[in-house]
């Protein structure tokens, strides 16, 4: 059975921690309800879901998906758009889980191998880079490939696409370090993975994600961002300016790349994704993480010291209990997802306000006050994404 496999791979929760997870839910509900009542109802907001064994322990939303207005048949009236459990947020780097899964599904289909040199699929890259960097290095941020953001010309006015990332990198034959020697977070790598998915599957990235992930899991309203394509119940992105005023900030020059951050989903649909991972419906996640994980903070001569790893769209903290974590931040969104595999806990936090770190931190502190283990430790991993 799946649960025993997870327990075999991850650390077993010690009795004191297990008892803390079983603290009365009423305390948690009361604390979180009180917190949600303090959130401004007419500003960008948040969506939160906490689950155990697939059962929702707590779920709530606050704020507006669009603090602007939506036209009505009467042009003199406007209607605000409240956030609810079906609101679709831009996932930003949480997208990397889906990109990685697409690669792993193609490997399962024997269409590619994670040990393929990326030059096999992307011959436009300089020969040395294409030969030495493997797909697995992109999946674990251990490729050393250059950040495409630093290569965008100052004169660029149109949004960069994944194919543009390949073009930018094709003119640079150096890397930050030899592959498989260090960890350095790379959006470039996941843009290249999106292109590899397209070439191996003979489908667009968006179509492959839809056909192999969204449709099988009934993630009926999740989508990949494509300019001018409608998005169901879409949250628009916002930020605070230097004076603390809320301003629209939905798009930037890097908002159109897909593999590193282009997926939109909701609490309802992301819960289906979480359950599929916990039940190994697409791949065996524990075995995959064990096979691919790369140590964070490692050097070429020391791979044993780090307690944190990365694999296939997940940071892995092996402190007791083992925690899977990822954040996603863009110009107008801030998301956090956490799983505690040994006991099938999951926490999902989406926000359409950039840099909304403090709100999630406060929620984690309320969870701790309600008897859960202190999860604030994993937020330090977010620094690796900057």
């Amino acid at each position: 059975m799946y649960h025993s496999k997870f327990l075999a791979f991850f650390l077993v929760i010690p009795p004191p921690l297990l008892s803390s997870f079983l603290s009365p839910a009423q305390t948690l509900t009361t604390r979180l309800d009180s917190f949600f009542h303090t959130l401004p109802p007419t500003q960008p907001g948040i969506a939160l879901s906490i689950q155990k064994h697939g059962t929702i322990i707590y779920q709530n939303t606050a704020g507006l998906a669009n603090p602007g207005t939506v036209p009505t048949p009467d042009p003199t009236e406007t209607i605000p758009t409240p956030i609810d459990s079906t609101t679709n947020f831009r996932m930003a780097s949480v997208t990397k889980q889906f990109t990685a899964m697409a690669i792993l599904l193609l490997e399962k289909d024997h269409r590619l191998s994670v040990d393929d040199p990326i030059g096999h699929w992307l011959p436009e890259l300089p020969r040395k880079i294409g030969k030495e960097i493997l797909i697995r290095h992109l999946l674990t941020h251990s490729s050393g490939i250059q950040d495409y953001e630093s290569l965008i010309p100052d004169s660029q006015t149109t949004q960069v696409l994944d194919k543009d990332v390949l073009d930018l990198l094709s003119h640079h034959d150096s890397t930050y370090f030899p592959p498989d020697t260090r960890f350095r977070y790379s959006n470039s790598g996941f843009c290249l993975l999106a292109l590899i998915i397209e070439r191996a599957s003979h489908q667009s990235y968006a179509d492959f994600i839809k056909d192999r992930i969204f449709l099988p899991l009934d993630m009926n309203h999740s989508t990949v961002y494509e300019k001018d394509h409608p998005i169901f119940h879409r949250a628009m992105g916002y930020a605070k300016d230097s004076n603390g005023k809320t301003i629209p900030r939905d798009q930037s020059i890097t908002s159109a790349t897909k593999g590193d951050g282009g997926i939109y989903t909701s609490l309802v649909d992301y819960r289906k994704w979480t359950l599929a991972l916990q039940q190994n419906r697409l791949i065996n996640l524990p075995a995959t993480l064990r096979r691919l994980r790369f140590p964070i903070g490692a050097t070429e001569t020391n791979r044993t010291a780090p307690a944190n790893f990365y694999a296939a769209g997940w940071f892995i903290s092996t402190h007791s209990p083992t925690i899977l974590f990822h954040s996603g931040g863009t110009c107008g969104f801030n998301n956090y997802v956490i799983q505690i595999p040994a006991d099938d806990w999951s926490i999902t936090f989406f926000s359409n306000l950039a840099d909304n770190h403090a709100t999630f931190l406060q929620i984690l502190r309320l969870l701790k006050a309600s008897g859960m283990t202190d999860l604030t430790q994993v937020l330090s991993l977010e620094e690796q994404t900057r």
Side-chain angles (χ1 to χ4, degrees):
M1 295 293 291
Y2 156 79
H3 194 62
S4 63
K5 290 180 182 177
F6 242 109
L7 289 177
F9 172 57
F10 291 105
L11 300 178
V12 177
I13 296 181
L17 182 58
L18 181 60
S19 64
S20 71
F21 278 137
L22 300 177
S23 298
Q26 183 62 39
T27 303
L28 174 63
T29 299
T30 301
R31 285 190 168 98
L32 288 174
D33 280 347
S34 296
F35 175 70
F36 268 80
H37 287 147
T38 68
L39 300 176
T42 59
Q43 292 290 309
I46 66 171
L48 174 70
S49 182
I50 302 170
Q51 302 158 47
K52 178 180 169 66
H53 297 314
T55 299
I56 296 174
I57 303 300
Y58 184 86
Q59 185 165 288
N60 208 342
T61 62
L64 298 179
N66 183 0
T69 59
V70 176
T72 68
D74 182 349
T76 64
E77 296 180 354
T78 56
I79 299 176
T81 310
I83 292 170
D84 63 29
S85 62
T86 66
T87 299
N88 274 308
F89 294 79
R90 184 181 184 88
M91 288 295 95
S93 284
V94 175
T95 295
K96 291 178 171 66
Q97 299 168 14
F98 297 90
T99 301
M101 179 61 74
I103 289 287
L104 295 166
L105 289 172
L106 285 166
E107 184 183 50
K108 186 178 179 180
D109 294 343
H110 305 291
R111 303 291 293 273
L112 55 72
S113 167
V114 298
D115 292 315
D116 287 344
I118 62 174
H120 173 77
W121 299 102
L122 305 171
E124 298 93 329
L125 291 170
R127 187 174 181 276
K128 183 171 184 281
I129 288 177
K131 181 180 179 180
E132 294 182 355
I133 295 176
L134 310 181
I135 290 176
R136 69 164 56 243
H137 298 145
L138 302 183
L139 288 169
T140 57
H141 300 294
S142 60
S143 70
I145 205 160
Q146 292 193 45
D147 298 329
Y148 77 86
E149 297 93 336
S150 67
L151 303 177
I152 299 173
D154 293 338
S155 59
Q156 182 90 20
T157 56
T158 56
Q159 286 185 314
V160 176
L161 305 176
D162 296 278
K163 63 183 180 64
D164 299 319
V165 172
L166 175 60
D167 182 62
L168 289 170
L169 293 171
S170 69
H171 301 292
H172 297 271
D173 61 1
S174 62
T175 57
Y176 294 123
F177 49 81
D180 204 41
T181 61
R182 283 178 50 196
F183 175 93
R184 179 180 171 125
Y185 194 82
S186 173
N187 288 316
S188 297
F190 275 76
C191 292
L192 296 183
L193 287 172
L195 296 175
I196 292 173
I197 290 163
E198 294 187 336
R199 295 183 182 187
S201 69
H202 304 291
Q203 289 183 276
S204 71
Y205 173 85
D207 284 346
F208 187 85
I209 295 291
K210 178 180 178 181
D211 291 347
R212 295 298 301 275
I213 298 177
F214 292 161
L215 289 178
L217 301 185
D218 295 322
M219 298 175 67
N220 297 320
H221 293 299
S222 297
T223 191
V224 176
Y225 174 80
E226 295 180 281
K227 187 178 180 181
D228 299 326
H229 286 209
I231 296 175
F232 173 80
H233 203 166
R234 175 180 176 178
M236 303 302 293
Y238 295 83
K240 297 285 188 180
D241 66 14
S242 57
N243 297 316
K245 180 182 178 182
T246 300
I247 56 174
R249 195 61 67 81
D250 189 73
Q251 293 288 299
S252 72
I253 202 167
T254 60
S255 292
T257 53
K258 297 179 175 65
D260 63 337
I263 283 177
Y264 277 74
T265 194
S266 65
L267 286 185
V268 167
D269 275 5
Y270 193 82
R271 177 171 177 262
K272 297 172 183 177
W273 168 250
T274 299
L275 286 171
L277 295 182
Q278 292 174 343
Q279 296 167 1
N280 292 332
R281 287 179 57 189
L282 297 174
I283 61 167
N284 185 317
L285 184 62
T288 299
L289 297 183
R290 181 174 62 244
R291 174 167 65 104
L292 292 178
R293 68 182 193 174
F294 188 87
I296 296 171
T299 66
E300 195 167 1
T301 58
N302 182 7
R303 297 286 185 90
T304 60
N308 299 316
F309 300 81
Y310 193 97
W314 289 100
F315 286 97
I316 308 163
S317 171
T318 58
H319 297 287
S320 182
T322 293
I323 299 169
L324 306 184
F325 166 82
H326 218 287
S327 61
T330 69
C331 55
F333 294 88
N334 197 186
N335 312 308
Y336 296 96
V337 294
I338 292 175
Q339 289 197 47
I340 305 175
D343 214 34
D344 282 352
W345 280 90
S346 63
I347 301 169
T348 306
F349 172 96
F350 300 152
S351 176
N352 62 332
L353 181 66
D355 301 318
N356 204 4
H357 175 95
T359 300
F360 186 61
L361 179 60
Q362 180 61 23
I363 287 171
L364 292 186
R365 287 171 175 165
L366 291 174
L367 296 181
K368 179 184 177 184
S370 300
M372 288 186 70
T373 190
D374 184 3
L375 298 173
T376 60
Q377 58 176 301
V378 299
L379 294 184
S380 63
L381 293 172
E382 186 179 17
E383 295 299 317
Q384 298 290 336
T385 68
R386 303 188 190 286

